[in-house]
Amino acid sequence: MHELAVTEAILEVVLRAAEQESARRVVTINLTIGELSDLKEEWIQRYFDHLARGTTAENARIAVATSVPTFLCDACGEKFSRSLRGVERVECPACGRSSCTLTGGMEYRVENVEIEE
Ligand SMILES: [Zn+2]
């Protein structure tokens, strides 16, 4: 039920943005989900449809983009991002060492909300 709590948080952000813009209706929500997140897009949309009923965000579509994980190299401090799909070892593009710390890739973020005024 992880998605339910996340979807409630997303709806809150969306409704606040809609209110600020005096939106009549929210059309699309652009959401970015980290590649390492276990959030399922179809569940978010399903919960959203349920939670948003009766609000300005009713029937809004959630467009999901995936963001790649970000790393910090322990050896040289280089910050970089790289997809982990099909990758066994992450190496720093600057110094080639493989001791890197994961700094992002599990988060989600509402990028923007497309509305009808
Ligand atoms: Zn490095």
Side-chain angles (χ1 to χ4, degrees):
M1 287 295 139
H2 179 48
E3 277 89 355
L4 182 59
V6 168
T7 309
E8 278 172 347
I10 292 170
L11 179 63
E12 206 171 293
V13 170
V14 168
L15 291 180
R16 207 178 310 142
E19 202 180 297
Q20 273 169 13
E21 308 274 325
S22 313
R24 209 155 41 85
R25 202 169 79 84
V26 176
V27 183
T28 309
I29 296 144
N30 292 305
L31 182 72
T32 300
I33 297 180
E35 188 187 275
L36 303 178
S37 159
D38 58 359
L39 294 173
K40 299 274 181 299
E41 190 175 337
E42 55 175 299
W43 279 103
I44 293 178
Q45 182 73 63
R46 204 171 298 182
Y47 284 133
F48 191 87
D49 290 346
H50 175 71
L51 292 170
R53 219 167 279 164
T55 72
T56 47
E58 185 168 4
N59 297 325
R61 194 177 68 87
I62 301 178
V64 175
T66 307
S67 64
V68 295
T70 51
F71 298 89
L72 178 69
C73 175
D74 297 337
C76 73
E78 173 85 358
K79 288 178 186 157
F80 60 100
S81 46
R82 168 152 313 165
S83 171
L84 285 181
R85 284 183 186 149
V87 172
E88 276 178 32
R89 217 161 68 115
V90 175
E91 283 176 4
C92 171
C95 72
R97 305 270 184 87
S98 57
S99 133
C100 305
T101 305
L102 184 70
T103 53
M106 284 169 286
E107 66 288 333
Y108 67 90
R109 196 168 56 236
V110 176
E111 298 292 351
N112 60 63
V113 175
E114 293 166 26
I115 56 156
E116 233 175 62
E117 282 172 42

